[in-house]
Amino acid sequence: MERLLVKESPLLLPLNKEKTIYDGFITVQERDFRIRILLPPDHQVKLAKLHCCWQLKQLLRGYVHIVKRRLHHSPDLVSFVLELKTVLEVALKSRTECRSIPPPKYYSQLITEMEDLGWDKLVFIDTEFRTLRLKAEDSSGRQHVVTVKLKPKHPLEAPVCTADLPVPLAMTWTAQSSLTHVHTQFLLLLESLAEFWAVLDEIDQKTWVLEPEKPSRADTMRRIVIVVTPLRNKLNSNMHLWNPECSVLQNLRDVLEIEFPSPATHEKSSFSVECGICYSYRLNSDIPDQVCNDSRCGQPFHQACLYEWLRGIPSSRQSFSIVFGECPYCSKPITVKCPPRNPEN
């Protein structure tokens, strides 16, 4: 083992005959780091103590848990030193990438591209000139922002682009591409989503949306308030009235023969009905969406609350993922699906 240690770290030497104290340097990427390793009398590496120089401590910040794990599992000192050098190489590489400064050509290229695109499109740029936010307006006047993270070798490397969209933002990029290409592709994608957003905008403006509370452009679903509950028969009998030429909201009005509550006609507090079991509106992120089908009751419950309640009643029964029981308020039949299991449990 001693020969292997000298081969891997010739500057790390034992200070006593028992070879329980090692002091010196380990070399990684042509850089020397001072370290002292104290071993117990039985030379168990997992019980060793490390004393590092200030530079090594700073470099290993964020990797301490990995070093401890490697120390605990290494069979001998040589193995641990090799593991430690591997961790240091990763840490040095990460720090180099984070602190690498682009050449002057990078900045001149960026300024040229912004002049071609138009400075009025720039919403934000960070102090390192790496992250930009560019604004765009679609044909319906909606305002959008795309975040562009440039690589140090821009434009040879494709930037990372993100935006508040319901679909992935996939950009085509070549070494001749520029920020103008990003902006143009972003606008084309926005236009392809215009009709989809128009439907959701009408729902947001003319109905009370319960979830999500503050819809973003990436959200594709809406949970809305419907005052009338016995709608299944109307839905089945009126589906032939659905007109592809009309909006989704207008079709729902015609098929269900109802008017949706909206901010213009109702206060939202009217629909924030508490769960009949826990007496709260929100349970984590869930709202009471399980409703008693009896029109004289109509009491809402959280799915998790109703499930636990019914499961504790001897007369309730379960078939596959459905629990059958009685409404806690009116004792009429009610069912609930088993809530999804938490993957962490």
Side-chain angles (χ1 to χ4, degrees), residues 26-137:
I26 57 175
T27 304
V28 180
Q29 295 184 6
E30 299 182 353
R31 294 181 59 179
D32 295 329
F33 298 96
R34 181 71 181 271
I35 188 172
R36 172 172 285 205
I37 303 175
L38 306 179
L39 295 170
D42 57 2
H43 291 80
Q44 289 192 60
V45 178
K46 64 181 181 180
L47 300 178
K49 294 183 179 180
L50 304 181
H51 297 277
C52 306
C53 63
W54 179 84
Q55 292 89 345
L56 192 54
K57 286 182 179 179
Q58 293 296 315
L59 187 61
L60 290 176
R61 183 178 295 178
Y63 297 88
V64 174
H65 64 289
I66 298 177
V67 173
K68 288 182 177 180
R69 189 161 61 242
R70 301 289 174 85
L71 184 66
H72 186 78
H73 293 289
S74 295
D76 52 55
L77 185 58
V78 175
S79 299
F80 171 68
V81 170
L82 289 172
E83 294 279 6
L84 180 60
K85 292 174 78 170
T86 300
V87 174
L88 285 173
E89 286 176 357
V90 173
L92 282 170
K93 183 180 179 182
S94 175
R95 175 167 294 193
T96 301
E97 290 178 350
C98 292
R99 294 188 176 184
S100 60
I101 300 175
K105 185 180 179 180
Y106 169 91
Y107 299 99
S108 60
Q109 174 75 22
L110 179 58
I111 292 173
T112 300
E113 290 185 25
M114 280 309 308
E115 289 176 346
D116 292 339
L117 176 63
W119 289 99
D120 58 313
K121 304 292 193 306
L122 183 65
V123 177
F124 165 86
I125 186 168
D126 67 351
T127 55
E128 295 182 350
F129 292 83
R130 294 285 186 86
T131 302
L132 302 86
R133 295 195 185 102
L134 306 175
K135 65 180 180 180
E137 181 178 310

Side-chain angles (χ1 to χ4, degrees), residues 192-330:
S192 70
L193 294 166
E195 185 177 350
F196 170 76
W197 281 325
V199 172
L200 292 181
D201 285 346
E202 184 183 21
I203 293 174
D204 291 340
Q205 294 164 10
K206 298 182 180 180
T207 70
W208 267 121
V209 176
L210 296 180
E211 287 187 293
E213 285 190 284
K214 296 180 180 179
S216 70
R217 291 296 175 195
D219 291 317
T220 59
M221 60 78 66
R222 299 291 189 272
R223 188 190 296 269
I224 65 175
V225 171
I226 300 179
V227 175
V228 183
T229 53
L231 299 176
R232 184 175 300 172
N233 292 336
K234 289 183 179 179
L235 180 63
N236 292 333
S237 61
N238 293 339
M239 274 305 296
H240 67 281
L241 299 176
W242 191 278
N243 184 359
E245 301 297 324
C246 297
S247 68
V248 172
L249 187 60
Q250 186 59 51
N251 275 309
L252 288 174
R253 289 195 188 107
D254 295 340
V255 170
L256 299 177
E257 299 178 7
I258 62 171
E259 285 296 326
F260 291 90
S262 72
T265 60
H266 294 77
E267 293 292 331
K268 191 173 185 179
S269 57
S270 305
F271 314 115
S272 299
V273 183
E274 297 174 345
C275 170
I277 296 173
C278 72
Y279 303 110
S280 64
Y281 178 63
R282 286 200 174 272
L283 180 64
N284 298 324
S285 60
D286 298 329
I287 65 172
D289 58 358
Q290 307 294 308
V291 181
C292 177
N293 288 326
D294 192 302
S295 59
R296 293 167 295 181
C297 177
Q299 177 64 45
F301 307 94
H302 293 118
Q303 181 185 11
C305 293
L306 184 57
Y307 171 74
E308 293 297 335
W309 177 279
L310 294 181
R311 203 172 64 158
I313 304 299
S315 59
S316 299
R317 61 186 180 84
Q318 182 170 342
S319 176
F320 296 102
S321 62
I322 307 294
V323 178
F324 299 82
E326 296 179 351
C327 172
Y329 273 65
C330 68

Side-chain angles (χ1 to χ4, degrees), residues 109-118 132 134 146 148 150 154-159 161 171-186:
Q109 174 75 22
L110 179 58
I111 292 173
T112 300
E113 290 185 25
M114 280 309 308
E115 289 176 346
D116 292 339
L117 176 63
L132 302 86
L134 306 175
V146 56
V148 183
L150 303 176
H154 177 80
L156 299 178
E157 294 179 300
C161 301
M171 294 282 184
T172 58
W173 186 269
T174 67
Q176 289 73 42
S177 298
S178 65
L179 293 176
T180 300
H181 291 89
V182 170
H183 197 263
T184 301
Q185 292 180 70
F186 185 50

